[in-house]
Amino acid sequence: MDLLTVRHVSRTFSEKTLLTDINLIIHEEEKTGLVGVNGSGKSTLLKIIAGVLDADSGEIRRSNSLKAGYLPQNPEYDPKLTVIEQAISYAPDVEEYMLKSYLNKMGMDRYDMPMSVLSGGQRKKVAIAAVMAGNNNLLVLDEPTNHMDNDIIEWMEERLIEFKGAIFMITHDRYFLERVTDRICEIENGKLITYEGNYDAYLTAKAERLQMAMASERKRAAIYKKELRWIRWSAPARTTKAKGRIERFHKLEDGKQTFDNPQVEISAASSRLGRKIIEINNLGKAYDGEYYIRDFNYNILRNDRIGIVGPNGCGKTTLLKMIMGEVKPDEGNVEIGQTVKIGYFSQEAEEMDGNVRVIKFVEDIATSVKTDEGYFSASQMLEKFLFPSYMHSVKIEKLSGGEKRRLYLLSVLMQAPNVLILDEPTNDLDIDTLTILEDYLDSFPGAVIIVSHDRYFLDRLVVRTFAFEENGHIGHYTGGYSKYMNEKEAREAEQSEKATDKSVDKKGETVSSTTSSGRNSRAKKLKFSYNEKREYETIDDDIAELEEKISLIEKEINLNSSDYASLTQLSEEKAKLDEELLAKMERWEYLNELAERIERGETVPVE
């Protein structure tokens, strides 16, 4: 059944057309993710669907059975109300006990707290609880994962997977899109393009669409070039045949395609970094007698890629500010090398004067910046960051929230730091910007420290994870977020198993558990088999060779895009190599985890 139908909807803001002839049908139980670059009109479309904003033209048809719950990106609130009163105002038809149940799940069990003292993330949790508790058959969600910690994100993910109604949401959390959605819609140049399947299927289908469109454009351009030569050199003909050819030429001219496949091409720009980076010695910080950080030690290395995780309010941002010297520790100290130049991308972002024009804001930081590709002016860097020339004179107050974050990111990188500290960098940045930022950080010639709840971003970038644990202790783990979670879950399962295996005799004495045969269990040291050791030593080279083969085939595909037979054969070869590479990568992960377990001296039981 169709819950909601959008027909020929358009919307303009400040003379800028955001949405043009949008058509969309939302079916019951259909879970759709909406993506697109910042400022493309995603939140505007959500507001129109939710009924809080009118379209300039077109119509919205809503089913009589439709009951929609809407979560804005920044929910409005009354500072005079308490948590439970605000939740009731968001969802007056929901029983109070249900609201309290969902508030508990969001960690908001102090119902009498005034909204005025809550952080932005806590206020959003109240709105999420109200939306999720409602008896809705359509959830319209604008960035539900922003400012949420990982436990809440994973709870929401499971809840939305199980949800029996329809979902239409904006999120830049790629794991969230991958696991929750079965359809992706993308806004490009004001139009809505729909892809069936989850995020992975969307990436594949979009690449194929762009490849076909570019091949079609190359063919059109070749014909246009020939026709243009005829138009210029032929004598003006008055025959019907000639007039028809002229008309066809103008159709070719009007048929030129542009491709909205934005790339934030950033070259690493940094200043020289000496041997001593940042040394953290016995760091400790407490508030009201409670330790948030206790006895933390680490020497940050030149090429470190560190992720910091933990629940909201545990002290992650405090740790960053102590590293930078903005907050004084209660115990220990931080020593920073003389050549270190820190670039700090804060969670809140710095205050930007709304009356300042975009180009002036950047030029006040630097009129040009040196990169691996040479010097780039402020205007050139703006264009690389998806701010075309017509936006350079726009006042900052006219930018969307995501565009302001992108501009702020540019301002940090324009300072050419050699150590980057990023506090929740993924909030409000679109996927295109995130993807290229990830590529930039890959080549950044300095240390990178990231606080983030974006699991994909952490898995993609970091090689070491610091996790806030009980009593202010910070655990050190090798690898990204998923690897840390696997280790954490394995450790918790092991502790649970040990607790279960312990038995108490009649005298109250604890005795050791035994195997099913009654013998005490024995163990031996874990080690590689002969074949595993050989494979471990060569697998990096094998992966590099496969990646090189895939790269060569991709180049051939681009060269033979108009040759259908060659394109089919090359695509089949590439698909086989992609499968081989995936298998190798999975094997690489297994072997490296095994190597780490061997290095830790783990044992396995002997039967």
Side-chain angles (χ1 to χ4, degrees), residues 566-588:
S566 296
L567 194 60
T568 301
Q569 182 181 348
L570 289 168
S571 297
E572 289 175 356
E573 289 179 28
K574 182 179 179 298
K576 289 178 183 178
L577 288 171
D578 284 339
E579 287 182 13
E580 286 183 44
L581 180 61
L582 180 60
K584 280 287 182 188
M585 292 298 289
E586 290 174 351
R587 188 66 177 165
W588 178 91

Side-chain angles (χ1 to χ4, degrees), residues 269 341-346 350 361 365 385 405-422 440:
K341 184 178 180 182
I342 294 175
Y344 179 47
F345 184 82
S346 74
E350 67 175 29
F361 174 76
I365 298 164
F385 270 71
R405 289 285 282 178
R406 195 192 313 145
L407 183 62
Y408 174 47
L409 175 63
L410 171 59
S411 74
V412 172
L413 300 180
M414 285 287 285
Q415 298 167 29
N418 49 30
V419 172
L420 275 173
I421 296 180
L422 310 176
Y440 167 78

Side-chain angles (χ1 to χ4, degrees), residues 299-313:
N299 288 342
I300 295 174
L301 305 177
R302 178 186 297 271
N303 294 313
D304 259 340
R305 298 292 186 269
I306 297 166
I308 302 176
V309 300
N312 289 340

Side-chain angles (χ1 to χ4, degrees), residues 16-153:
K16 178 184 177 183
T17 300
L18 286 178
L19 306 174
T20 307
D21 196 29
I22 298 291
N23 293 280
L24 171 73
I25 298 175
I26 298 177
H27 305 284
E28 59 181 350
E29 299 189 22
E30 190 170 50
K31 298 174 181 179
T32 305
L34 180 63
V35 299
V37 298
N38 295 134
S40 61
K42 300 187 300 296
S43 292
T44 298
L45 179 57
L46 246 67
K47 289 174 182 177
I48 291 171
I49 287 172
V52 300
L53 185 68
D54 292 330
D56 292 338
S57 60
E59 63 173 331
I60 309 288
R61 292 182 183 177
R62 295 177 173 85
S63 164
N64 291 332
S65 64
L66 176 66
K67 187 172 183 184
Y70 172 53
L71 175 73
Q73 189 170 350
N74 298 299
E76 294 182 0
Y77 69 99
D78 186 340
K80 298 175 185 177
L81 298 182
T82 64
V83 165
I84 188 62
E85 289 169 345
Q86 185 69 67
I88 291 171
S89 75
Y90 286 144
D93 297 333
V94 179
E95 295 287 344
E96 186 173 326
Y97 80 91
M98 280 291 292
L99 289 171
K100 286 183 176 180
S101 172
Y102 277 85
L103 286 168
N104 289 344
K105 289 169 184 174
M106 301 298 292
M108 299 299 298
D109 52 357
R110 294 181 59 183
Y111 314 126
D112 59 345
M113 283 188 70
M115 293 294 291
S116 59
V117 304
L118 301 185
S119 67
Q122 289 173 319
R123 291 196 294 268
K124 191 157 187 176
K125 284 181 179 181
V126 177
I128 290 172
V131 169
M132 301 286 269
N135 184 26
N136 303 302
N137 57 8
L138 170 63
L139 297 179
V140 182
L141 311 175
D142 196 344
E143 293 288 4
T145 63
N146 264 11
H147 307 290
M148 298 296 112
D149 59 49
N150 289 315
D151 289 341
I152 298 297
I153 291 172

